[in-house]
Amino acid sequence: MIVTEPDTTRLLVLDDENDVAATICMMAATGGYRAEHVGDADLFLARVAISGPTHVMVDLQLADRDGIEVIHRLAKIGCTASVIVMSGLGGRILESAGRVATENGLRLIGTLAKPFPRADLLALLATGTPGEVSALAPSSAGSAGIPSEQRLREALRAQEFIAHFQPKVSCASGDLVGFECLARWPQPGGGMVGPDIFIQLAEATDVIHALTRQIYQYAFAHLPNGVREHGLKFALNLSQLNLTDESFPRWLLDICREHGVAPSQVILEMTETASMNNPLALLEHLTQFRIRGFHLSIDDFGVGYSSLVQLARLPFSELKIDQMFVKTLAVSAESQKIVTAVVGLGRSLGLKVVAEGVEDAWALDFLRDVGCDEAQGYYIARPMDALASSAWKPSVRRAGS
Ligand code: C2E
Ligand code: MG
Ligand code: MG
């Protein structure tokens, strides 16, 4: 198991051909790598998120998935390990898959056509600078898979779920405009499990309702400085399933009152999913939130199920451009065109446009130049605990402000 040691040479291989994967691990071990392999994509992703290997290898052909889907999900969970894509398929396919990894913002160190000699593998592994620890600290709990439903329920009863806060700034002035609240699950050894691991499981059960309330309760009880005092915005993520809980809007209104936050400061961020297949119900639920004064944001716009129809038809007040495009602004002309077009689209529909995944100064400058309203990302600040977020001050000032 590769969970606890903070060394820089932990390799996790995803390949459902057991013998091949075992051979790769043996070859890597001769170069001093602590290597292990899994054949199941979900287990692989859970281990990457929880134990934070320094290097990962992904085979493109898996029994139940293709490697591209895995690459997407690696990017989605914020994997910062060095990535090698491998396949027995032709060089062109490998090359395209490698491009997919890079354009998704992963740290690709190379591709390997199978079968490959040990020397090629070791040479490639050596070029990969150790991935910085993932956005979420690796869990030291030693758990190597997705938590069970029972464990989730126990954690809920013990009120283990908390929130971290990530600042959002104005692209024009650099001023702090608000925070996004992100769910976290602290582990006994000091690590932290991120929402990509447990929200999906909570959504697959009825746990999501109580979990959302617990996270929100924590967030309101730990409001970062400036939210109550200066009316800064406070963004919370909402699962579409929460919309089926009829008492939720009223509950949210009550908790806002209790903590002195106006509903107009609250932005509910929702990712479009296929789960809500009743468009009229969605329209009704969302309109109810707007009537109560809350703002609604369409999260991860540009990927997945979000569509222009939804954008025009539903009462969103904000659009968040998916980080896939924002992270790659400096290196991809396509991303630049997409972001420019989406900013124009959002503004013409009267929406506030927010970019997330701002990882460098170039991206922030570009966003300001194309008229994006707000920005969020590691370049500005990482998600922080309640104390740190309260003390946070923007360090990036824009010219003329
Ligand atoms: P999201 O709402 O799109 O949140 C942004 C995610 O990107 C967060 O990941 C954040 O830590 C990460 N991020 C922010 N800036 C950067 C950057 O510059 N680079 C990179 N690589 N990543 C960045 P996190 O915290 O793991 O959250 C993942 C997703 O889980 C969220 O995506 C959101 O959809 C969901 N989520 C988080 N909290 C909750 C919650 O309380 N309820 C529900 N239903 N979903 C939640
Ligand atoms: Mg969000
Ligand atoms: Mg997002």
Side-chain angles (χ1 to χ4, degrees), residues 180 237 269 299 320 356:
E180 176 175 6
N237 289 283
E269 298 189 4
D299 208 345
K320 273 188 113 167
E356 68 183 352

Side-chain angles (χ1 to χ4, degrees), residues 180-182 235-238 269-271 297 299-300 320 356 376:
E180 176 175 6
C181 158
L182 295 156
L236 297 146
N237 289 283
L238 190 71
E269 298 189 4
M270 242 183 43
T271 307
S297 176
D299 208 345
D300 302 339
K320 273 188 113 167
E356 68 183 352
Q376 177 183 344

